[in-house]
Amino acid sequence: MSGKFDALLDSMSDQGQSHRGTAFIIESLLLLIFVTASIAIVVQLLGFGYSQGMQADKLSNAVYIASNEAERFTADPDIKSRQIVYLQTQNGLERIATEKFSNEKPIEYEGKKISLDDSGVYVLKRKITKENFSSGKLYNASIVVDCQGNEVYSLDVAKYMPNQRDEEFGIIDDGVEGGV
Amino acid sequence: MARENESSVRIGSITIFALVIVLCIAVMGMLAVSTGRAALASSEKQAMYTSEIYQNEKEAWEFVTKVDKVLYDLRNTWWWSKAQGIIDATEVVEETKGASIDNDEISATFTSENGKTLSIKMTITNDLQLTIDEWKVSTSKEMDNGDVLWSGM
């Protein structure tokens, strides 16, 4: 009697271990699926965050380049329309070319060939037009900054230059020369 | 006997460990997204303000051009006088929104949608020249955002 009871207990124990083993595998698989899905979502989140950061960086650089050019134009509006290439380096944005430029003739910078399609390369397009008036000239500048072939930022600036600058316009109180 | 055969690895502890790791990575992901979006929002604001500053300047220079042209044309006639100059300048001022004239002093304010303001003051001199006395950029910020402290997301 005692022997039969022990055999029954052993049989139940084996069955329990078998069920536990199956449950362990199923639970492990479910956990693996959950972790994989979670990591996939998190990787997408990280990628999205990175792309947003890159976009912000690009826009910020473009604004910096455009506003610098706008100030240069304001200081002396009688300048030519031109295309200027900037490269983002460890030292910040550096002007690497100021002439007409195409992808057929890449720019060489510190021994490397730079193409307009490279990331970190900004192309500033400055187009100057002027309207002649009897009293002077009104210069308009259209400043566009491209990166990898896409327009990132644009700015319209104007500056008036009278015919006789020194005689007609005085000095502003804050020390800046009177407008023109 | 049965207890001796049990595995020392328990799925419960692995699950909890995995959940904690996933939770940590998810928090890092959310932080990366919010930082990225905040940076982009900040850059867009900077871009918008810069555009508005130069847009105001452009309008201001166009206004100065018109006034200067009127005075210049009058100065090249034999009947010119300061009084006539003020009358002619008044016509230009009345066409311009935000501009006003008080005797020989012309003031104009150019305001953008987001509060960037350019105020200029000019004087018509006795010899019918135009002098720029003030060229001031300012920002008028209305604190109407209520409880929103940060809108990076």
Side-chain angles (χ1 to χ4, degrees), chain A residues 87-104:
Chain A
L87 175 69
Q88 189 171 20
T89 64
Q90 287 180 338
N91 302 323
L93 288 160
E94 287 187 26
R95 182 194 286 219
I96 57 170
T98 53
E99 297 302 321
K100 288 270 179 187
F101 173 78
S102 68
N103 268 339
E104 287 79 38

Side-chain angles (χ1 to χ4, degrees), chain A:
Chain A
M1 189 65 185
S2 168
K4 279 185 180 178
F5 185 69
D6 286 344
L8 183 65
L9 279 177
D10 285 347
S11 162
M12 284 175 69
S13 174
D14 287 347
Q15 278 183 359
Q17 275 195 352
S18 169
H19 286 152
R20 214 175 293 150
T22 312
F24 180 85
I25 290 166
I26 291 170
E27 209 170 328
S28 301
L29 283 173
L30 286 174
L31 183 63
L32 188 70
I33 291 166
F34 171 73
V35 168
T36 311
S38 303
I39 287 174
I41 292 168
V42 168
V43 166
Q44 281 195 342
L45 277 178
L46 288 168
F48 181 69
Y50 177 76
S51 72
Q52 295 273 296
M54 288 297 289
Q55 210 176 324
D57 198 33
K58 209 183 269 186
L59 182 59
S60 190
N61 283 335
V63 171
Y64 174 77
I65 291 169
S67 52
N68 271 359
E69 192 59 32
E71 289 305 313
R72 190 176 295 125
F73 164 79
T74 309
D76 182 14
D78 197 12
I79 49 177
K80 290 177 183 172
S81 299
R82 190 167 275 189
Q83 184 168 280
I84 304 167
V85 183
Y86 288 86
L87 175 69
Q88 189 171 20
T89 64
Q90 287 180 338
N91 302 323
L93 288 160
E94 287 187 26
R95 182 194 286 219
I96 57 170
T98 53
E99 297 302 321
K100 288 270 179 187
F101 173 78
S102 68
N103 268 339
E104 287 79 38
K105 277 178 69 181
I107 300 170
E108 285 214 7
Y109 177 76
E110 292 184 349
K112 290 178 186 171
K113 287 187 177 177
I114 309 289
S115 160
L116 287 187
D117 296 328
D118 291 349
S119 64
V121 175
Y122 297 87
V123 182
L124 181 140
K125 292 169 185 166
R126 178 180 77 199
K127 192 177 176 188
I128 314 280
T129 53
K130 65 180 172 187
E131 291 176 67
N132 288 308
F133 296 94
S134 53
S135 56
K137 295 183 184 78
L138 178 65
Y139 292 85
N140 283 290
S142 166
I143 297 166
V144 178
V145 181
D146 289 357
C147 185
Q148 293 177 305
N150 299 316
E151 182 183 317
V152 183
Y153 185 63
S154 65
L155 204 57
D156 289 324
V157 198
K159 182 75 187 279
Y160 174 63
M161 296 291 279
N163 289 332
Q164 295 161 336
R165 175 194 305 205
D166 298 333
E167 290 174 17
E168 292 192 20
F169 285 81
I171 303 295
I172 294 181
D173 291 338
D174 59 6
V176 179
E177 192 178 337
V180 282

Side-chain angles (χ1 to χ4, degrees), chain A residues 42 56 71 134 153 158 160 168 179, chain B residues 25 47 51 54 61 68 73 130:
Chain A
V42 168
E71 289 305 313
S134 53
Y153 185 63
Y160 174 63
E168 292 192 20
Chain B
I25 297 173
S51 297
Y54 285 105
W61 280 120
D68 192 46
D73 289 346
L130 190 64

Side-chain angles (χ1 to χ4, degrees), chain B residues 14-26:
Chain B
I14 295 171
T15 307
I16 290 169
F17 183 64
L19 282 175
V20 169
I21 288 176
V22 166
L23 199 67
C24 290
I25 297 173

